[in-house]
């Protein structure tokens, strides 16, 4: 009987060790690039628009407080990004731009927006017709730890097998503005996006919140693209 207990305890110890090893090895898994590839393309695309992002609005939304008037070095903007009439801290961005921020969700928002505009909103091969600005409004971001008690009771073994450790729900308000070449406001759209995503062992504490934030941005942009499609004729008449 004692020998059976010994082998049972040994197997349990082995499973616990294996589980924690898997958690540690997978916790640094890189963020999926597919998350930054938006869904839904408009049927008829707008002419080419230059992308801008209101970085301070995203900093305020995420509580990052890392915005600086001197962005990181960029080959196309070696002396800092251009200030515009769209407000302080609103910068032109492209696929090669890097924002000076410690908050990865803001950098993701910039890359996401540029991709979405160039693939799903505008035709980049046409003559430039104006600018398009991305801003963030209010945000709701909360973790749900309802799985935590079961994770602790099983010493993380079920988490290593795929059970969530907790989940995050994010709701974010997104504002998109379209301007003509004379900086006249052509159209403004405001929508809320929401998403919920579980935290698996391999995500790490921050990455699942990052993915939820990007999914919520995608949800808002899908709604905004539907509004742009609805007002396509009016927008085109003002851009010409």
């Amino acid at each position: 009987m004692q020998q059976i207990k010994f082998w049972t305890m040994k197997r349990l110890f082995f499973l616990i060790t294996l589980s924690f090893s898997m958690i540690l090895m997978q916790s640094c898994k890189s963020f999926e690039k597919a998350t930054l590839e938006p869904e839904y393309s408009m049927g008829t695309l707008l002419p080419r628009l230059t992308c801008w992002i209101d970085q301070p609005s995203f900093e305020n939304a995420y509580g990052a407080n890392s915005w600086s008037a001197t962005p990181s070095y960029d080959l196309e903007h070696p002396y800092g990004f251009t200030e515009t009439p769209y407000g302080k801290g609103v910068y032109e961005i492209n696929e090669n731009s890097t924002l000076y921020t410690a908050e990865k969700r803001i950098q993701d928002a910039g890359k996401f927006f540029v991709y979405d505009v160039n693939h799903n909103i505008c035709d980049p091969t046409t003559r430039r017709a104006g600018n398009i600005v991305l801003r963030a409004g209010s945000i709701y971001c909360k973790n749900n730890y309802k799985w935590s008690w079961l994770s602790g009771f099983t010493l993380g073994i079920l988490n290593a097998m795929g059970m969530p450790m907790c989940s995050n729900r994010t709701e974010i308000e997104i504002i998109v503005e379209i301007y003509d070449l004379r900086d006249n406001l052509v159209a403004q759209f405001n929508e809320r996006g929401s998403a919920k995503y579980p935290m698996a062992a391999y995500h790490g504490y921050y990455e699942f919140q990052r993915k939820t934030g990007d999914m919520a941005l995608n949800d808002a942009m899908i709604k905004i693209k539907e509004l742009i499609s609805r007002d396509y004729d009016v927008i085109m008449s003002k851009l010409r």
Side-chain angles (χ1 to χ4, degrees), residues 194-215:
S194 63
K196 183 178 180 181
Y197 194 75
M199 174 186 174
Y202 61 79
H203 282 130
Y205 183 74
Y206 173 78
E207 290 301 313
F208 81 112
Q209 297 181 78
R210 180 184 176 189
K211 183 163 185 176
T212 311
D214 294 338
M215 291 169 64

Side-chain angles (χ1 to χ4, degrees), residues 38-42 112 116 120-121 134 169-176 178 188-196 214-232 235:
E39 302 172 1
Y40 180 75
S41 177
M42 292 168 41
F112 183 102
D116 206 9
N120 302 321
I121 297 177
L134 177 69
R169 181 171 185 81
T170 296
E171 296 180 6
I172 186 169
E173 179 185 18
I174 293 298
I175 302 102
V176 171
I178 298 176
Q188 182 180 54
F189 304 98
N190 186 313
E191 282 289 349
R192 293 191 69 86
S194 63
K196 183 178 180 181
D214 294 338
M215 291 169 64
L217 173 61
N218 184 25
D219 183 51
M221 286 302 300
I222 288 175
K223 298 172 183 176
I224 287 175
K225 282 178 283 191
E226 291 173 347
L227 296 177
I228 294 175
S229 294
R230 182 198 65 186
D231 297 343
Y232 178 84
I235 295 173

